[in-house]
Each structure stands twice: as C-alpha cells, then as structure tokens.
Amino acid sequence: LGRGAAVDPARDTFGAMTGLYGAIQPADSVSLSTRTHGAVFNLEYSPDGSVLTVACEQTEVLLFDPISSKHIKTLSEAHEDCVNNIRFLDNRLFATCSDDTTIALWDLRKLNTKVCTLHGHTSWVKNIEYDTNTRLLVTSGFDGNVIIWDTNRCTEDGCPHKKFFHTRFLMRMRLTPDCSKMLISTSSGYLLILHDLDLNKSLEVGSYPILRARRTTSSSDITSSGSSGPRAVGSPCHQNDSGPVYEKYLSRSSQREGGSPRNSLEVLTPEVPGERDRGNCITSLQLHPKGWATLLRCSSNTDDQEWTCVYEFQEGAPVRPVSPRCSLRLTHCIEEANVGRGYIKELCFSPDGRMISSPHGFGIRLLGFDAQCRELVDCLPREASPLREIRSLYSHNDVVLTTKFSPTHCQIASGCLSGRVSLYQPKF
C-alpha cells in the first residue's frame, strides 16, 4: 500500500474490528437462558474465547459455548450464596468467589466437583485477580482484606494464603496487565494505588510509604493543584500518621529522584464531573488492556448521578518533590442513566482498548475516545472530554448489570437483573 515500515499492522486489524463493533445492530443478539437463576453479576470468557461463564445471584454458574450459543453446563450449587466474580487462570482452570466468603477452583475437564475450596475471607468476596508470572491468585472482599493464594502449592484442602493488604470500605481491586501496580477502589470515594508491586511481601499498617495524597485533576498542569486536604491522607487505610511522618515518607521517596519504593501507596480522590463538592462511591474498576489508563464507574453518595470516567496514568518523576506528580489524570467521562440504584454495573474495555462497553439502562452503550475509535494515546485531550457514543444496543427487559467483550471474536455479552444473557455480534 506504499506505507512506511513504521506502521503497526495490528492497528489496521483493530481498526477493522472496531468497525465491526460499530456495525452491530440491536437485533443482532441471541438470548441465553436456562431457568430462573437470579440476576447476572459477572460474565467472563475463557482466554481462547471458547467458553462463556456466567456468575448468578442464586448460587449458580452457567457455562455456554459463545460461538454456537449452546448451553454447556450449569453448576447449580457452585456456592452457598451469590456468585460475584469469575476469573480464568488459563484455558481450563477458573476461579469463582461468593458472598459465602469462599473462593472455588474449577477445571473445565471435570466440572462435577471443585478442584478445591479456599477459606480465608470473613465477609463477601467480590473480585479475583491472577498474576500469570508468579501463579498467585489475588482476591478482595468486603472484609477489607486483599489475600494472596499460592496456586503453585494447591491441594484438595486448598492453597497456602496470606493477607497482603487491608483497607476500610474496599469495593474493587485490580492488577495492571504487567502486575506492576495494584488499584483498589472504595465506597468512600478513594482510589488506592500500590506502585512497584511486590506480592510476596505482606503489608501491615504503617509498613508502606505513602508517596502522594491528593485529588486528581483534569487540567493539563497537574502539578499546580494543591493537596485534597486531610481527608485524602490515609483515611481509608487506618493510618494515624501525622504530618511530619507523611513528610518523612515523601522525603524518602524524593531521595530516590522520584522513584517509588516497593509497594509504595498513593491515595487519590478521583475528580468526577458534577461531584466536586460531594462525595462519591467508586463501584466499578477496570484497567486498560495495555495498562495506559483506568476505567471507573462512580455514583454520588445521594445516588442521583452516575458517571463513567477514564483516567490516564501519568508516569515519570515528580516535577517538584514538595508537590509530587499525581499519577492519574481525568481524560474522558460521560454521564450514565443512573437506573437500578443499589446495584453495581460492571463495564469493560475491548481487547484492543479502543472501545468501552458500559451498562446503560436496559442495554449497553459502546463508547470510544473519539468518533473514529482511535487508541487513547492517539487522541489524548488537554482537558477532560466526553466519551463518544458509537452504538447503543438494547435487548433486555431489565437493568443491565454487567457486560464483556470476547477476547477472540467480534462479540459482546451482557447480563441483566432478571437473569437474561444476550450476545451481540454482527450479521452478514
């Protein structure tokens, strides 16, 4: 085509894929259902895209073939309470977590029994992450604990585990794709970031340096804004450190010319449009597949507003040690429908990171950073800009709670409060 060698051929492939997503029509959906199993809380594809798993309110896990839309199996008593999240460790092993405080490991080749059940949390377990390099499973729950499980030494009785971190009001926990950072969102509006992550070291209260404590900003001059005040310093982490102690940690990090010590903690209050003077709850937390940004779903404490926001990671050393760089900057946002109050809506990035699928009322919206669905790094605004609506897809008769892109096919899945799962894919 006469293009230079510097052109990334993968970008053309992703451009074609986003074009297909934009061509999907509301009628291009298939309804998956077996029987009454309660609300759909989470959807997860296997890494090769061959299996779609569904976490249900009434103790069940459903498995479907997403290509043929055939029901494979129902794990009718996967747990003793609501199933909240599913995470694949590889193409055959997956983990589920539940309000019954346990995590279960399953093997697709033998679904009649669990591989093992993991006990360690004391309250509802809400999400699961997995470090493929160390084979460590990471879970978080409403007991405020983040627990590490060593799947290398897994037996029928469980896995060795240890408490890694604790914070109040914990909602969601995620690892960046390279597992260099852990992000934790809270119901009190804080976002905690552990930099230069070392999962082999447990963190006790006061054992980690607090690098920064401030409010994110949408301004291009992110070093000019002041601290967010005492509320941002350690409130969710049971920290009782005084000002001098905080300055001691700051000075220690500054001596490393801006480099972060292992497991250094950053406490942020992400700025949300319309919520400058009121608190908010961060209900959903996702990471860009290339680690460029984080995606948040925020609702006001009064439940009268709901927003989807994208924050770009700001890397590099701080400009002034006394006013360190905030590592997140608000780049894009959009107001949501704010229906189904009290339920968490889980959104997601597409596999290439160009699009966002967001629950919106009785359907989903496909959102892009611009009208052409370019990559985030190609269309970063100087000030926060609206996310662009590429397509709206409505096929449910109840509030949609979760949505997921297939990792291998041009397909999107969504699940709603009444238990229906819909698959969207283009028809030719």
Side-chain angles (χ1 to χ4, degrees), residues 206 208-211 241-255:
Y208 41 83
I210 299 179
L211 290 183
D241 296 339
S242 60
V245 176
Y246 170 70
E247 292 297 334
K248 178 183 69 175
Y249 286 137
L250 195 59
S251 299
R252 186 184 303 168
S253 65
S254 300
Q255 291 172 0

Side-chain angles (χ1 to χ4, degrees), residues 160-215:
H161 68 278
K162 63 179 180 180
K163 186 169 73 172
F164 176 73
F165 188 77
H166 178 84
T167 183
R168 292 179 294 175
F169 316 122
L170 189 152
M171 287 292 293
R172 291 291 185 267
M173 172 274 305
R174 300 291 178 194
L175 300 179
T176 53
D178 61 359
C179 295
S180 64
K181 297 181 179 67
M182 177 184 289
L183 280 76
I184 298 172
S185 66
T186 71
S187 59
S188 55
Y190 295 103
L191 185 65
L192 314 181
I193 306 177
L194 286 166
H195 294 270
D196 199 8
L197 189 65
D198 182 1
L199 293 175
N200 293 310
K201 179 182 178 182
S202 296
L203 300 180
E204 300 297 334
V205 175
S207 68
Y208 41 83
I210 299 179
L211 290 183
R212 316 169 186 89
R214 58 186 298 142
R215 188 178 185 87

